[in-house]
Amino acid sequence: MKIISVAGARPNFMKVAPIHKEFRRNQSRVDHLICHTGQHFDENMSNVFFNDLELPRPDYYLGVGSGSHAEQTGRIMTAFEDVVLKERPDLVVVVGDVNSTLACSLVAAKMGINIAHVEAGLRSFDRTMPEEINRMLTDSLSDFLFVTEKSGLENLRREGIAESKIFFSGNVMIDCLLYYLPKTDRSEVLKNLGLNAGKYVLVTIHRPSNVDSEKSLERVVIFLNEMAEKRKVIFPVHPRTRKNLNDCKLLDKFHDRIILSDPIGYIDFLALLKNAEVVVTDSGGIQEETTFLHIPCITIRDSTERPVTVDIGTNRVVGTDLNIARDVVFSVLKGEVKNGDIPPLWDGKAAVRIVEILLQKL
Ligand code: UD1
């Protein structure tokens, strides 16, 4: 049996890694190939993750790079079609919600190849997010839908997806986190950045809604400068955010106690997460990682597609009014933390369950 897994952008790599390991364990039955679309291409957005996660060199690297949504999606489709024509896989595995996820699903569906979507069913109900479109369409094309949290089951049922296609498998990103957590003890990132455990705010901001206009970027600078009055702030800057800060001439407007770093690799970032006093983010996956690590998370978005992190985890979705976000962060710094539990099946065995189901059904 031949299976191709697609990895395109940074948040895909930690989901593909546990799946790859599990397919490797079953290599007598499965020939598992990895196709990297090249949606993310910088050393620190891509290669560093392949190294940290002990992933092999991808079998295919499509090198599509950046572009408008249509350009990027179209380039991925054209290039991936050649791969599928050559390899004729029995299954294509896609993960998450990035443009590579949808593009490769469309190609596989039109060529009559089975699709497994890992991290299916999540919905923010906000169609202004490109990821929401990618999620809905990928799920509607998929044959095996692996769900991380119960809200996903309800969303898929409501959308009329057949029950026989839906599997509550747990969260492969947590498989990855659990596997690599012990390695964070050897990370020197805190020392190198001059940070003390439990005494800094970790920030990631890259959503178009927060960084694509000058006004919203100015508000981000003011917000982070206010936090820096209370604590050191570490802000690994996504290339999209850095480019926009640079274009708006805002890069030198940050407080001295804010460390603007380049994007950080997987193990060092985990070390920063697990030792943070509070995390401020607009990412998807970080809401889950903080919940698992019991670290307070303030999400500066109007919605979340991962409601379990709010219902039983440590996440608070406070909207994009950064005055409100500042007040919530300050309350956490004063000790008003939300205790949370770990969601069901976030136990490090999701990939085992997924591969078992696939091997049984295919
Ligand atoms: C993508 C995902 C988003 C995910 C994010 C994580 C989509 C629609 N969005 O957003 O869901 O949260 O990845 O990082 O798929 N760039 C570089 N080097 C890189 C990658 C990007 O310089 O290695 C710059 C380019 O200027 C590019 C911009 O970042 O135009 C945006 O990249 P793109 O892949 O379009 O989307 P992200 O914002 O990274």
Side-chain angles (χ1 to χ4, degrees):
M1 188 156 34
K2 190 181 281 181
I3 296 180
I4 303 182
S5 289
V6 176
R10 182 171 60 177
N12 291 163
F13 306 136
M14 55 291 266
K15 297 168 194 164
V16 168
I19 295 171
H20 175 69
K21 280 205 182 84
E22 197 49 29
F23 278 132
R24 277 294 303 270
R25 239 170 38 85
N26 289 280
Q27 59 186 324
S28 58
R29 298 175 65 192
V30 190
D31 184 11
H32 183 237
L33 306 181
I34 295 177
C35 177
H36 186 330
T37 64
Q39 176 174 346
H40 283 173
F41 45 86
D42 283 355
E43 172 70 24
N44 55 25
M45 295 291 285
S46 174
N47 277 357
V48 69
F49 287 83
F50 271 71
N51 293 335
D52 276 4
L53 300 170
E54 301 161 292
L55 277 163
R57 252 171 74 98
D59 300 278
Y60 287 92
Y61 183 78
L62 307 183
V64 298
S66 301
S68 72
H69 283 273
E71 282 167 346
Q72 193 177 54
T73 308
R75 280 206 297 268
I76 298 168
M77 286 182 70
T78 312
F80 189 62
E81 188 176 50
D82 288 342
V83 174
V84 175
L85 276 171
K86 183 160 172 248
E87 296 291 346
R88 289 274 157 203
D90 300 284
L91 176 79
V92 168
V93 178
V94 295
V95 301
D97 57 13
V98 301
N99 285 347
S100 301
T101 311
L102 173 59
C104 295
S105 303
L106 272 168
V107 169
K110 295 222 169 171
M111 295 175 82
I113 312 270
N114 281 312
I115 303 165
H117 184 204
V118 173
E119 206 184 82
L122 297 180
R123 297 289 180 271
S124 66
F125 303 102
D126 174 1
R127 290 198 188 188
T128 65
M129 292 178 72
E131 294 83 0
E132 182 74 353
I133 311 285
N134 294 342
R135 289 178 205 118
M136 290 176 356
L137 296 181
T138 301
D139 284 342
S140 75
L141 298 171
S142 293
D143 304 282
F144 301 92
L145 295 98
F146 293 105
V147 175
T148 52
E149 63 164 276
K150 286 189 179 148
S151 73
L153 299 173
E154 290 151 26
N155 294 333
L156 294 174
R157 286 175 188 141
R158 200 178 38 248
E159 289 173 22
I161 307 275
E163 199 65 37
S164 58
K165 295 182 177 179
I166 306 174
F167 305 91
F168 184 31
S169 58
N171 193 332
V172 287
M173 210 182 59
I174 301 300
D175 294 6
C176 198
L177 185 155
L178 265 169
Y179 185 84
Y180 286 104
L181 203 54
K183 293 207 175 178
T184 58
D185 293 340
R186 272 180 277 146
S187 164
E188 305 221 310
V189 69
L190 268 76
K191 197 174 95 197
N192 292 342
L193 293 170
L195 297 169
N196 291 324
K199 285 275 165 250
Y200 60 88
V201 181
L202 171 62
V203 176
T204 81
I205 304 180
H206 72 276
R207 292 269 158 220
S209 55
N210 285 322
V211 305
D212 277 7
S213 83
E214 186 165 357
K215 264 212 159 59
S216 49
L217 269 180
E218 279 168 357
R219 283 196 286 260
V220 166
V221 176
I222 293 169
F223 168 58
L224 298 191
N225 286 351
E226 285 172 334
M227 284 197 292
E229 293 290 334
K230 308 265 178 198
R231 293 290 189 278
K232 275 194 178 171
V233 174
I234 165 74
F235 180 18
V237 189
H238 185 286
R240 167 184 213 115
T241 311
R242 185 172 290 274
K243 178 173 178 299
N244 295 349
L245 283 168
N246 190 40
D247 290 349
C248 298
K249 304 199 170 33
L250 288 169
L251 271 174
D252 60 359
K253 302 281 186 248
F254 286 93
H255 193 290
D256 293 347
R257 294 222 299 176
I258 299 177
I259 306 165
L260 297 179
S261 79
D262 283 337
I264 289 176
Y266 184 70
I267 309 257
D268 284 342
F269 193 77
L270 264 193
L272 285 174
L273 270 179
K274 91 169 182 190
N275 290 299
E277 187 170 2
V278 55
V279 175
V280 176
T281 191
D282 59 7
S283 147
I286 291 172
Q287 298 172 53
E288 297 183 340
E289 290 166 333
T290 46
T291 273
F292 187 84
L293 294 166
H294 300 288
I295 301 293
C297 180
I298 310 302
T299 300
I300 48 171
R301 284 172 42 187
D302 291 322
S303 59
T304 180
E305 62 288 333
R306 293 162 159 90
V308 76
T309 61
V310 175
D311 296 341
I312 67 174
T314 54
N315 189 19
R316 282 192 261 186
V317 179
V318 298
T320 50
D321 179 341
L322 297 182
N323 289 319
I324 295 176
R326 175 201 56 217
D327 293 345
V328 179
V329 174
F330 283 4
S331 75
V332 174
L333 296 179
K334 278 195 220 132
E336 290 168 34
V337 297
K338 175 182 173 215
N339 293 318
D341 279 326
I342 295 177
L345 298 191
W346 290 19
D347 59 359
K349 298 189 184 115
V352 174
R353 287 189 279 268
I354 288 170
V355 168
E356 199 175 287
I357 291 167
L358 289 173
L359 292 182
Q360 191 196 330
K361 302 263 176 197
L362 279 169

